[in-house]
Amino acid sequence: MIDFHCHLDLYPDPWRVAERSEQLGLRLLSVTTVPSAWSGTAALERDRIHTALGFHPQLALERVKEISLFAELLPRTRFVGEVGLDGAPEFRASWHAQVEIFERILRLCADRGGRILTLHSRRATEPVLDRIEAVPDAGTPVLHWFSGSAGELRRAIDLGCWFSVGPSMLAGKRGRALAARMPRDRVLTESDGPFGRVESRSAFPWDVDRAVRVLAETWGMDLREAEQQLENNLDRLMETAGAS
Ligand code: MN
């Protein structure tokens, strides 16, 4: 199983979640929300648990000074996220700071030869895609919890984006319809835990099995085939990005 977008450090007991994930053989990308959280979160790494260096758009304004720490830490990881833009009304005041930070991060990634990026694009699909298009050398974008229109999805696919989809997204009709249009060789699963939810509780990395079930149904595969498709996808992503 794969959880390609999980906030491991934000669970009440991150060590336990990491340990359980390892026992279950999960391949996990542990994302961070601010650069200052990276070192502590990286301490949770295991064989199959990687840590991404992030700068969440919702924190861009209050943490703007951490961009220098981001630049300093970037050489230490091949994974960047959670980064991106959030166009919801409650974050309008920070929009300019968000754009400045996100553009800076994309350029830093390009300067360092590219990274695998897990991207937040809530209510900001077009602006995120515009920036990806402007800095193609930033690396391989993985749009997490995509919630744009069918047209925006088409554009994202044409730009070479990958997608990580989770149980929360696939619980609704709209999310399922979008997932059905994604190229199946560019799809990964995610929990977005502890923010992602299943049955009114925080999602854990192993809850991605629910997403695998939906994808198997969507793709007309049995569970094992769908699992294999997802594992092959991640192998390929790691290879193209030169990460191990
Ligand atoms: Mn997230």
Side-chain angles (χ1 to χ4, degrees), residues 11 16-17 37 42 57-58 78 87 93 101 118 134 153 160 163 168 179-180 192 211 216 235:
Y11 285 103
R16 205 168 180 168
V17 180
Q58 295 173 357
R78 295 189 167 277
I101 297 269
T118 174
L153 176 61
F163 305 90
S168 315
D192 198 20
D235 290 344

Side-chain angles (χ1 to χ4, degrees), residues 5-7 31 33 56 82 120 144-145 190 192-193 195:
H5 184 112
C6 174
H7 299 264
V31 304
T33 51
H56 200 291
E82 174 167 7
H120 178 107
H144 119 81
W145 200 332
E190 66 166 35
D192 198 20
F195 300 120

Side-chain angles (χ1 to χ4, degrees), residues 81-158:
E82 174 167 7
V83 297
L85 298 171
D86 192 309
E90 61 267 39
F91 298 107
R92 196 158 290 153
S94 72
W95 181 256
H96 290 290
Q98 290 186 43
V99 170
E100 198 183 308
I101 297 269
F102 185 43
E103 289 181 344
R104 182 81 202 283
I105 285 172
L106 292 174
R107 285 196 304 271
L108 285 166
C109 289
D111 290 347
R112 293 280 176 185
R115 292 291 184 271
I116 296 175
L117 302 118
T118 174
L119 300 172
H120 178 107
S121 58
R122 185 173 73 139
R123 299 225 198 167
T125 311
E126 286 292 339
V128 165
L129 296 179
D130 289 345
R131 269 78 191 182
I132 290 172
E133 191 168 27
V135 192
D137 296 337
T140 308
V142 183
L143 294 171
H144 119 81
W145 200 332
F146 181 86
S147 57
S149 66
E152 288 164 342
L153 176 61
R154 186 70 251 164
R155 186 178 169 213
I157 293 167
D158 291 343

